[in-house]
Amino acid sequence: MSWIQKLYDTYERCSNNPLFEGEGTLLPVGHTTQQGHIHVVLDDCGNFLRAEVLDKAPITLPATERSAGRTSGEAPHPLIDKIQYCAGDYADFGGRKDSYFASYEDLLGKWCASGFSNHKAVAVHNYISKKTLVRDLVKAGVMVLDSSGKLLTEIQDGDEQGVLRVLPVKKESQRKVKEQGDALVCWSVETPGNPGAQTWTDVSLQNAWSLYDASLVQTKALCLVTGEETATAVLHPAKLRHSGDKAKLISANDENGFTFRGRFTDTTGLQACTVGYEVTQKAHSALRWLIARQGYRNGSQVYITWAASGAPVPSPLEDTRTLLGEDILCDLEEDLESGAATLPVIDHTRDIGQAFALSLRKVMRGYSAKLQPTDDIVVMGLDSATPGRMSIIYYRELVGSEFLKRLENWHLVMAWPQRVTIEEKGSKKGKKKRIEWPVFAPSPRLISEVAYGRRLDEKLRAATIERLVPCIVDGREIPRDLVENCVRHASNQAGLEHWEWEQALGVACAIYKGYYERHPSPDKRRTYSMALEKERTSRDYLYGRLLALAEHIESMALYVGGENRSTTAARLMQRFADRPYSTWRNIELALQPYMQRLQVSRPGYLHNMKNLMGEINTMFLSADFTKEARLSGEFLLGYHCQLQALKKQKETETNSDNQGDES
C-alpha cells in the first residue's frame, strides 16, 4: 500500500498550496470530473432564467461513492448529472434511455433536508421538482426536437443544432446517432449580491456535500494506510487518466465471478483490504491531478514522476533536449547581458560532449537545490488491459539525490549527436529550415520507433517503453535485442528516407554506446567518445571510417558533376555490414571513376582523402581486414564520427577561404 500512502501524503501537502494555483485543482473529497454540455441558469427561488451549450468544459461535480465509479446501471450524482437523471419530463419527449429522475430527486432532496444543506442545491431541487427541464431547454434552443415532437437522435452532417454539436456520435446500423439524454447539465444560481453563481466552483457547496457524503458512510474498519479505525471505502474512484476512463486500480466487485471463492467468506472485499473512504478519495484525486499535470502518456499507458513535497522533478521519459528546456538558454542569456559569460566556441571534433555534460549537470543541480535531502521521489506507471481494470506496471521510490544521479547517468551514457530540424526564426512556417546535430539522449519513444519502425503497433511501443523505464530509473543494462534492432535498422540506408535514416543512425549510435557502458559483464564494458577516436584500432570501427570516406568522396564527385543521387556506399551499406571485406572491394572499384573526376577539379581534396584512407588501412591488425565476419554496431560509431569530422573540416576550410577573400 506504499503507493496509496504516497499519494495521500501528496494530497495533504499540495492541496490549498498557492504554488499550484492555475495548474488544475485537487478535487475535494466526494467529487469527480466530467465534461459539461448544458449550462442552466436559475434564480435563487428555483425559476428558469436561461440556458446555453458548453463546449469542452471540464466540470467538478459532487458524487457519491457509487456514482463516482459508475459504468452502467442507476447511480445518480447528487446535483450535476445527465438529462436522463435531471429531467422529470425526459420520457415525455421520447427519451430512448431509461429515466432515473426519481432516484436523482430523492438523493438531492435528502441532501437539502439534512443539516449540510446549501441554498444553491435547494434552488436546483425546487426547479427540477417542476419537471419542465426538457421543455425549457427546447424553448431556449438548446435541445432539438424532430418533426414528431420527440427528441432528435438521427443527425445529418452539417445539420447539428443546440447541444447536438457537442455530443459524441454513435453508429447504429449505418446511421449517425446522438443521444441528447447523455448531455450533462450544470447549474448556476444567481443570487442578488453574490457574484459567484456557478455551482461547480462554489467552495461552500463542495464542503457541504463532502460533509454530508462522509456522514452517509456506515462501514468502519481498520484503514491499512493510516492504521486507524475509520469509515471504510467499499467502492473506489475511477476516471484517473481522463473523464471517460472507467478503469479502477482497486476493485472488490466479486459478486458474480467468485474469483476468490474459498479464501474469504464474503464478497465485499473488506476481508482482503480495507482503505479509509477519505484516504482513497484523496489518494485517487492526487493521482488524477498528477496525471493531468505532469503525466507522460503513451496510448493507454501513463507514467508519472513526483515528489510528495510538491517540489519539481524531471520526467525520466523525455529526451535531454526537453529536459534541458529553456533553463540553460535563459540563464546563459542573462549571463551574457550582464557580461558574466561569453558564448562558448565548441570544436565538435575535440569537445563534443563537455558542453553537453556541463549543461546537464547545471540542470540537475537546479533540481537538487529545490529538493530536500529527505524528499522521496516516486516513479509510477499505469496501464489497463481491459476497460474496467487498471494495474501498476512499474513502481519505484527513491531518495531525490539517487533519482537525479541515475537520471543524469542515463543521459550521459546515451548522449550522442541526434538529427533535429530547426525552423529559422523570422521565416514563414515550412519555408526556411536547417538541420542540426545537437548532443542529447533520445527518448524511449524514439528508441522504440527506430527499433521497430515508425509504423509499429501501439502495444509493441508500450511494451518497449515499459522495458526501457527500469534502464533509466534503476540503472539496468539496455536489452540486447533493442540494440541489435536499432543497429540493423540504421544499417539499411537504402531502405529508408534520408531524414529517417539519419535519425536512426543517431539513435543506434546512442543505444550501442550506452549498452557497452552498462554491459552486464564488467570485463566487456567500454566507453566511446562522441568525437572521432583516431587511435582506436578495432576492426569494426576502422571499417566504419572507411565507409564514411568512400561516401564522402563519391558525394563530392557527384556535387562537382551536378548530380543528385545516392552513393554506392549508401546503397551497399546493409551488405557492407554483413560482408565487409568483399563489399569493400566493390565499393573501392566503384570509386575509381569518381576519383578521376576529382583529380581534375579537386586534386588537393583527393590527395588528402587518399592519405587518410591509406592511414586507416595501415591501422588494421593482421588478418582483421580480410575477415568476412559481420560487423557490430561499432562500425556505425566510426562511420558517424568520421562523417562529422569531415563535415567539420569542410566548414573550417570554407570559413578560412571566406576570411581570406575578405582580406
Side-chain angles (χ1 to χ4, degrees):
M1 305 299 290
S2 178
W3 64 272
I4 199 169
Q5 175 70 58
K6 292 297 181 185
L7 289 169
Y8 176 70
D9 292 343
T10 302
Y11 185 98
E12 293 295 315
R13 294 190 186 188
C14 297
S15 60
N16 301 321
N17 190 328
L19 292 175
F20 305 111
E21 290 183 0
E23 300 183 10
T25 57
L26 285 161
L27 295 180
V29 174
H31 288 72
T32 187
T33 57
Q34 206 163 328
Q35 289 287 342
H37 302 109
I38 299 175
H39 179 207
V40 176
V41 182
L42 310 174
D43 63 18
D44 56 349
C45 296
N47 298 314
F48 181 87
L49 297 179
R50 59 188 180 276
E52 62 179 346
V53 177
L54 298 177
D55 188 11
K56 296 181 180 180
I59 302 298
T60 299
L61 52 99
T64 65
E65 186 178 19
R66 186 180 173 194
S67 70
R70 75 184 184 194
T71 55
S72 61
E74 186 174 3
H77 296 312
L79 186 66
I80 298 173
D81 213 327
K82 297 180 179 180
I83 287 290
Q84 70 173 129
Y85 284 93
C86 300
D89 56 345
Y90 172 65
D92 299 338
F93 285 86
R96 298 173 49 181
K97 309 188 80 172
D98 294 334
S99 176
Y100 297 141
F101 175 75
S103 60
Y104 169 78
E105 183 184 27
D106 179 66
L107 177 61
L108 181 56
K110 289 180 179 178
W111 177 22
C112 293
S114 71
F116 305 100
S117 179
N118 181 277
H119 73 281
K120 290 183 180 179
V122 173
V124 173
H125 182 260
N126 291 338
Y127 172 71
I128 59 107
S129 300
K130 302 175 184 178
K131 300 182 180 180
T132 60
L133 177 58
V134 173
R135 183 178 292 105
D136 292 337
L137 292 177
V138 170
K139 290 180 181 179
V142 173
M143 298 189 76
V144 185
L145 302 179
D146 58 18
S147 58
S148 62
K150 303 298 181 183
L151 290 173
L152 181 65
T153 55
E154 188 172 354
I155 53 102
Q156 303 293 331
D157 292 336
D159 188 25
E160 300 177 4
Q161 304 174 13
V163 74
L164 290 173
R165 63 183 174 84
V166 297
L167 290 175
V169 178
K170 301 177 181 178
K171 289 188 177 181
E172 295 181 3
S173 303
Q174 306 300 321
R175 298 183 307 162
K176 291 183 178 180
V177 174
K178 290 190 175 184
E179 177 52 57
Q180 297 185 64
D182 288 335
L184 190 80
V185 181
C186 313
W187 309 97
S188 285
V189 179
E190 293 184 346
T191 305
N194 186 1
Q198 296 176 342
T199 59
W200 62 92
T201 59
D202 191 328
V203 177
S204 63
L205 185 144
Q206 293 173 351
N207 293 336
W209 168 253
S210 296
L211 293 172
Y212 175 71
D213 187 40
S215 69
L216 299 177
V217 181
Q218 301 296 329
T219 306
K220 288 192 175 183
L222 177 67
C223 175
L224 297 181
V225 177
T226 61
E228 300 176 355
E229 192 84 10
T230 183
T232 305
V234 177
L235 300 174
H236 298 269
K239 301 180 182 179
L240 298 176
R241 295 168 295 187
H242 49 82
S243 60
D245 188 12
K246 302 299 182 182
K248 294 184 178 182
L249 272 173
I250 304 177
S251 178
N253 181 13
D254 197 33
E255 297 178 359
N256 298 318
F258 297 105
T259 306
F260 304 109
R261 176 179 285 181
R263 299 188 181 187
F264 309 109
T265 59
D266 64 24
T267 59
T268 62
L270 296 179
Q271 295 178 346
C273 174
T274 52
V275 180
Y277 174 73
E278 182 179 353
V279 170
T280 190
Q281 289 283 323
K282 290 184 176 181
H284 283 81
S285 178
L287 180 58
R288 188 183 297 114
W289 176 68
L290 288 168
I291 290 174
R293 182 175 182 264
Q294 59 203 56
Y296 176 89
R297 300 174 183 269
N298 179 48
S300 64
Q301 205 177 61
V302 175
Y303 288 92
I304 50 173
T305 306
W306 83 95
S309 63
V313 293
S315 171
L317 291 169
E318 302 290 354
D319 59 38
T320 319
R321 287 182 75 225
T322 306
L323 175 65
L324 297 180
E326 300 296 330
D327 296 338
I328 293 296
L329 297 177
C330 293
D331 292 346
L332 182 58
E333 288 176 359
E334 292 176 1
D335 292 343
L336 288 171
E337 291 176 359
S338 63
T342 56
L343 281 171
V345 179
I346 302 174
D347 182 359
H348 288 279
T349 62
R350 300 175 57 189
D351 183 24
I352 200 168
Q354 184 178 0
F356 166 79
L358 292 175
S359 299
L360 179 63
R361 284 166 185 158
K362 184 175 182 180
V363 170
M364 290 303 175
R365 284 197 301 270
Y367 280 111
S368 180
K370 298 174 183 177
L371 288 169
Q372 297 297 324
T374 57
D375 280 352
D376 288 336
I377 305 296
V378 182
V379 183
M380 186 176 181
L382 305 171
D383 201 357
S384 57
T386 64
R389 297 291 183 270
M390 186 183 295
S391 62
I392 299 175
I393 57 176
Y394 183 82
Y395 185 81
R396 288 292 183 277
E397 292 181 17
L398 304 96
V399 178
S401 58
E402 182 66 21
F403 170 75
L404 295 177
K405 181 180 178 182
R406 293 182 182 181
L407 187 59
E408 181 180 354
N409 178 262
W410 166 263
H411 286 279
L412 287 175
V413 301
M414 291 289 291
W416 194 266
Q418 304 291 331
R419 182 194 191 276
V420 295
T421 303
I422 299 177
E423 187 172 331
E424 295 281 0
K425 291 184 178 181
S427 64
K428 294 183 179 179
K429 187 175 181 180
K431 294 292 183 180
K432 197 172 182 181
K433 298 179 180 179
R434 71 178 189 273
I435 306 301
E436 295 285 351
W437 288 85
V439 176
F440 63 90
S443 66
R445 184 181 182 89
L446 181 56
I447 293 174
S448 65
E449 292 178 356
V450 170
Y452 299 105
R454 285 185 298 145
R455 298 177 180 85
L456 79 163
D457 181 73
E458 286 297 330
K459 291 184 178 179
L460 181 57
R461 187 202 307 275
T464 306
I465 292 176
E466 188 175 342
R467 296 176 66 195
L468 286 170
V469 170
C471 303
I472 303 172
V473 180
D474 300 335
R476 297 182 186 177
E477 63 271 12
I478 301 168
R480 176 70 185 183
D481 61 297
L482 291 182
V483 180
E484 293 177 350
N485 285 349
C486 290
V487 170
R488 191 179 303 112
H489 200 105
S491 300
N492 184 23
Q493 184 174 357
L496 301 172
E497 296 183 31
H498 186 68
W499 70 266
E500 187 180 3
W501 168 76
E502 286 188 332
Q503 188 180 71
L505 177 62
V507 173
C509 290
I511 197 170
Y512 186 87
K513 168 180 173 284
Y515 174 78
Y516 274 97
E517 288 200 33
R518 291 184 175 182
H519 198 282
S521 300
D523 57 326
K524 293 184 179 180
R525 290 176 187 168
R526 53 181 181 266
T527 59
Y528 292 97
S529 171
M530 285 178 279
L532 179 63
E533 300 180 64
K534 297 181 179 180
E535 304 302 322
R536 187 176 288 276
T537 60
S538 61
R539 166 181 173 268
D540 296 359
Y541 196 86
L542 293 176
Y543 258 127
R545 293 184 63 187
L546 285 178
L547 185 67
L549 280 176
E551 180 166 343
H552 199 267
I553 291 171
E554 187 171 347
S555 296
M556 179 63 73
L558 293 175
Y559 171 76
V560 170
E563 301 178 52
N564 183 17
R565 56 181 173 81
S566 60
T567 64
T568 305
R571 294 195 301 271
L572 298 180
M573 190 174 188
Q574 181 68 63
R575 182 182 171 188
F576 180 81
D578 294 332
R579 297 183 294 275
Y581 176 65
S582 59
T583 308
W584 174 247
R585 293 286 301 275
N586 295 335
I587 294 174
E588 199 171 22
L589 290 173
L591 276 179
Q592 298 308 313
Y594 299 108
M595 287 184 173
Q596 293 175 6
R597 180 186 299 179
L598 292 173
Q599 186 64 45
V600 178
S601 58
R602 299 283 197 282
Y605 164 81
L606 182 60
H607 177 73
N608 292 336
M609 292 299 102
K610 284 183 175 181
N611 287 342
L612 183 55
M613 189 176 294
E615 179 184 336
I616 295 173
N617 281 324
T618 59
M619 295 175 67
F620 278 92
L621 301 179
S622 59
D624 275 356
F625 185 74
T626 57
K627 284 182 182 178
E628 200 65 297
R630 189 175 186 274
L631 296 176
S632 68
E634 189 180 51
F635 96 94
L636 292 176
L637 274 65
Y639 171 83
H640 197 198
C641 288
Q642 185 64 70
L643 279 183
Q644 293 284 346
L646 291 171
K647 180 181 178 182
K648 182 62 181 179
Q649 179 182 353
K650 181 181 177 182
E651 292 174 354
T652 303
E653 293 174 353
T654 303
N655 293 336
S656 299
D657 292 342
N658 292 337
Q659 291 176 1
D661 293 341
E662 291 175 2
S663 300

